[in-house]
Amino acid sequence: MATVGGLTTSTSSSIRGYGGLASGLDRDTLIEGMTSGTTSKITQQQKKKQQLEWKQAAIQNITSKLLDFSNKYTSWSSSTNLFSSMFWGRNKITTTGTNSKFVSVSGSGASAEGVTIMGVKQLAQKAKWSTKTGISNQELSTGSIDINKTYDIPQLAGKELEFQLGAGENAKTYTLTLKESEKLDDGTVKTYDYSTPQKALEAIKEQLGRVEVTGAGGKSEKLSDYVSISLNGNKFELTGDGKGNNFELTGGSALQYLGFAKDLKHNFKDGKTVQATEDAEKNLIDHVSFARLMDGKKLTFSYNGKSAEITMPDAESLQKLADAKYPNDLANSKEEAVLTAVKSSMQIQLDAAFGKGRVEVGLDTTNNKITLKTMNPAGGEDATSTLKLVSGNADVKYALGLQEGASNRMNMSEQLKKVLNPTVFDKDEVVKDENGQPLKDDAGNAITRKYTTLEINGKSINVYEDDTMNSLMERINSSNAGVKVSYQEAADKFTFTSTDDGASGTINIKGNSVTDALFGIAATDSVAERGQDAIVAVKYAGSDEAVELTRGSNSFTVDGLTINVKGKFGYDESGALIENDPDTVVEIDAQVDADSIVDTVKSMIEEYNSIIELVNKEVKTKPDRDYEPLTSEQKKELSEDEIEAWEKKAKEGLLYADSDIRSLTSDLRFIIDGGIAQELAEMGISTSTSYSDNGKINFDESKFRAALSSNPERVQELFAESSVQNTNGNGYSKGIGANLKSVLDKYVNTTGAMTSKGILIRKAGHESSPMSVTENTMYNQLKAIKEQISKLQERLETERDRYIKQFTSLETLISQMNNQSGWLSQFGG
């Protein structure tokens, strides 16, 4: 072996115990020498194992190259599959004629030139029905405003409780945000009430059970599994789960409103309980005036997608207006004066944000409401613009009776019980849990929800009182009623579209009080719409008669071609086909996509030649016996670059003269069958005449293009057919692609039982065939070597133990003799 920095191949390691204290002998060195025979055998087996692993990797590398090549050029899922009719077919399709703009054609069809589009009498249309534009009143309005009212504002909504589970690096933080409302999994919207301690308790309990927590072992749990909340009299209590978890309350803005210290931190380990210091009722509700609610708070509006924030008047100014006594000629009441001030402030800011005259802020003095409408600055209402409340301070929204998302269009998030007459919901449905069991209230009574129904295409669809338009639309669209409904906000209308094509699609909506209120379909009325099919006239080569095709879609298939029609032509006003005007027809021309084929064949040959170069290099490179795998001791003496350079040299020649790789090089050399070699050469594909090229293929692009242009079908045969008649008509040969596939299947087939897999797969395995990874020849050889190394290591341990015992006995004996000699020496003269 070549010298590596003067290193030996010793595999010694520290030997147990201590030696030489009495004898002065270097015990470890002596034992290492006496066991050198076994350690040498272990080293040789480790080198053998490393060389076999490298050899397996080298074969797997060749396998990967062959599989990549196979997947690219012989797989049916590949767009460059040499056996695909789509690859070779006349798939470069064009249309000609004045009306070709109304027709597009794609696909691959040898008969494309035999089809002429004579005309399109009718385009296919899905059944469709829309409500009239302006289904809503196109006004954004506040609720009825009472400036003299003292408002009770729940303080918990939007506040948080923060918890931590675990400690150190594994600690995770979980936040419970107390929501005003949330959409549940069943599509309903749950509204939470925090106005009393008991109602707040129920709201918090429910939301604790919705926060996902990752528990021990990655188990999915809920926050309620770790902490519970209760009332003791009128004080809240938080109690840990008692399971010994390191679970801690770390803070949160909700604490002070629940009666706890706002900076409270508490560890619930061992199930401890912490109690609030104040009664819950004290802080749950804040009693404030209208002026205080409005005081400098903000609302954000969106006008046709552009957002702007406006600020409400300050509390002092509004309070002065509320208390002032105005003469009758200035204001009818102090309420009007205050609302006029709010209205004027909003108008000034909206004019500045969106332009004067585009949003009109009005005042409904009868109902004490502020209204907003989109206007045309040149005069009149603007029914095409959208104004929406995007966000805003909760106090202002509460005082003005506004919901986030409110707009001058239909509020898609508003519960229908606020839109429809409550008497409409005349049926009761028992609410069930995820297991289909009825839910019950604290008194044990079944919980129900009110609903009514509407009928679409004979399908009865439930409409619940707590539905929103969004949730109702989702239910309609998933109901298998055969329609999809959408809301077009800009036009302020609903559109129903059939899910079935053409005349198969229908829209039948039976009117009732719900359809009347939502879609403008009176209870005494109904909707009945049906789609229409496309009617296209085609003429086939050899026939003088045009055939009218009826199809449910404007895109359809004819003789392998996908035809898409986009406009009507070829028929006169009476609906008769114009048959004798060549200017009206659309001709179809199909050609082979020569550029794509040439690029693919050229790439295939380049990759094929690189594979030939790789396998021949592997099988012909002789190994340098002076370069063996490095031991762990030798690697410690070298730099990473030195190790890399050494191992690169040691890996060379591992497949030298390998019988399977040598067989592969032979099969690749003769991939072109002699019976069609001359014809392929005339098409620009030939085997190199140089023996040193080992069967590489030469490619003449100009000859190949000429062959594709003159006879593409013959080129396809010579590549893809498994049996091709020879040029002289004497016998048959395999096409180049078929021959290639046979070789690939022989060496790297990954399907079937192990006995039917490719030679290289059976020999070295490959990840593309999972079964082969642990069922191949080299795996078994490596397994045997590992077992041998294990046995030798056990033998080495036995030998060391034996020698340690012997040296220990020797040390003991020498120590005793030394003691005895010392004792005798005291009697000496």
Side-chain angles (χ1 to χ4, degrees), residues 499-804:
T499 57
D500 291 326
D501 289 333
S504 296
T506 60
I507 298 175
N508 289 295
I509 304 175
K510 187 176 179 181
N512 61 19
S513 55
V514 175
T515 61
D516 190 8
L518 299 180
F519 309 124
I521 307 171
T524 56
D525 200 0
S526 63
V527 170
E529 296 288 338
R530 180 176 290 278
Q532 72 177 24
D533 289 336
I535 300 176
V536 182
V538 301
K539 184 179 286 186
Y540 296 94
S543 173
D544 294 330
E545 184 178 353
V547 179
E548 283 192 340
L549 305 178
T550 301
R551 298 291 185 268
S553 171
N554 291 318
S555 181
F556 52 90
T557 301
V558 175
D559 291 349
L561 299 173
T562 298
I563 299 174
N564 185 45
V565 293
K566 296 171 280 186
K568 297 188 290 183
F569 66 90
Y571 284 83
D572 61 23
E573 293 182 357
S574 67
L577 180 65
I578 304 171
E579 296 198 55
N580 299 316
D581 187 353
D583 291 335
T584 65
V585 303
V586 175
E587 301 284 355
I588 301 174
D589 179 52
Q591 297 292 330
V592 169
D593 189 351
D595 289 340
S596 177
I597 293 175
V598 168
D599 289 345
T600 298
V601 171
K602 184 178 181 180
S603 174
M604 183 273 288
I605 290 174
E606 289 174 352
E607 291 177 36
Y608 175 77
N609 288 341
S610 70
I611 289 174
I612 284 182
E613 189 172 326
L614 170 66
V615 295
N616 277 279
K617 179 183 178 182
E618 290 283 11
V619 82
K620 292 179 180 179
T621 300
K622 293 183 178 180
D624 188 335
R625 303 300 181 188
D626 289 335
Y627 287 85
E628 293 183 340
L630 297 168
T631 66
S632 57
E633 294 296 327
Q634 289 171 332
K635 286 182 179 180
K636 291 177 182 178
E637 298 286 333
L638 302 176
S639 67
E640 290 186 6
D641 289 342
E642 288 173 326
I643 293 172
E644 183 179 353
W646 181 280
E647 291 189 341
K648 181 179 179 181
K649 189 70 177 175
K651 290 177 182 179
E652 292 179 355
L654 290 174
L655 300 182
Y656 175 69
D658 183 278
S659 59
D660 292 323
I661 304 302
R662 189 168 59 242
S663 174
L664 173 60
T665 61
S666 177
D667 287 340
L668 291 173
R669 178 184 288 274
F670 302 107
I671 205 70
I672 295 180
D673 199 307
I676 58 173
Q678 181 58 39
E679 189 175 2
L680 279 171
E682 293 171 358
M683 292 181 176
I685 296 174
S686 60
T687 304
S688 172
T689 55
S690 173
Y691 186 82
S692 62
D693 280 341
N694 301 302
K696 287 185 177 180
I697 295 177
N698 295 325
F699 180 62
D700 188 321
E701 184 175 328
S702 59
K703 286 184 177 181
F704 188 72
R705 281 187 180 274
L708 268 181
S709 177
S710 61
N711 193 354
E713 286 76 17
R714 182 58 178 171
V715 177
Q716 178 181 353
E717 286 180 7
L718 294 174
F719 265 85
E721 296 297 324
S722 58
S723 182
V724 183
Q725 189 172 19
N726 296 339
T727 309
N728 55 17
N730 182 22
Y732 288 83
S733 298
K734 272 189 175 183
I736 183 173
N739 248 340
L740 187 57
K741 191 172 189 313
S742 295
V743 173
L744 292 170
D745 286 345
K746 177 179 177 181
Y747 289 92
V748 294
N749 175 44
T750 59
T751 60
M754 279 303 297
T755 53
S756 63
K757 287 183 174 21
I759 291 172
L760 299 186
I761 300 291
R762 298 198 304 271
K763 184 168 187 170
H766 195 271
E767 61 183 10
S768 294
S769 175
M771 181 192 302
S772 72
V773 174
T774 56
E775 292 186 32
N776 63 77
T777 301
M778 287 186 165
Y779 176 85
N780 292 332
Q781 292 172 344
L782 284 168
K783 186 178 179 181
I785 292 174
K786 290 176 184 177
E787 290 174 353
Q788 180 64 20
I789 291 173
S790 180
K791 290 178 181 179
L792 288 170
Q793 288 173 334
E794 288 179 4
R795 181 196 296 179
L796 178 61
E797 286 301 310
T798 300
E799 290 176 351
R800 284 177 173 173
D801 286 344
R802 184 173 70 251
Y803 290 133
I804 286 171

Side-chain angles (χ1 to χ4, degrees), residues 10-19 26-36 39 796-805 807-808:
S10 170
T11 61
S12 66
S13 59
S14 178
I15 299 175
R16 296 186 306 277
Y18 299 93
D26 186 349
R27 187 200 69 177
D28 289 358
T29 301
L30 290 171
I31 292 178
E32 184 178 341
M34 288 186 287
T35 58
S36 61
T39 56
L796 178 61
E797 286 301 310
T798 300
E799 290 176 351
R800 284 177 173 173
D801 286 344
R802 184 173 70 251
Y803 290 133
I804 286 171
K805 289 179 180 178
F807 272 100
T808 299

